[in-house]
Amino acid sequence: GIGTDCSGNGQCNSALAQCTCNPGWDGIGCQIPRCPGNLSSCNGRGYCNPNTLGGPTCQNCTKGWMGPGCDIPCVNGVQQPMDS
């Protein structure tokens, strides 16, 4: 993989020089945050924040959407608290 110990986001197989990324991480060196959803993450409806305790998380979903992948319709107004 790239860098030291798969960027700290995975396990390195030194014999094969390959990384096995932890959930929420992607790329040859586990350096790319991967949030829930498709269309590059967050279903194209939010911001993927890689700096959260549980790993990459979707935040600031566009109006009308909520949930971990910005994939749940918000039919009763605004999500309270935001990013819950």
Side-chain angles (χ1 to χ4, degrees):
I2 296 173
T4 306
D5 294 327
C6 303
S7 305
N9 301 314
Q11 299 296 315
C12 180
N13 180 330
S14 57
L16 299 175
Q18 291 180 340
C19 292
T20 301
C21 300
N22 294 335
W25 295 95
D26 204 357
I28 294 171
C30 302
Q31 76 282 11
I32 302 169
R34 177 74 58 191
C35 277
N38 55 23
L39 299 176
S40 297
S41 293
C42 304
N43 292 293
R45 300 182 190 117
Y47 163 71
C48 182
N49 183 352
N51 301 315
T52 58
L53 281 177
T57 304
C58 294
Q59 295 183 332
N60 299 325
C61 299
T62 56
K63 186 176 181 177
W65 296 97
M66 63 185 214
C70 295
D71 57 344
I72 301 170
C74 184
V75 294
N76 294 314
V78 180
Q79 181 181 11
Q80 295 292 337
M82 188 66 162
D83 301 325
S84 61

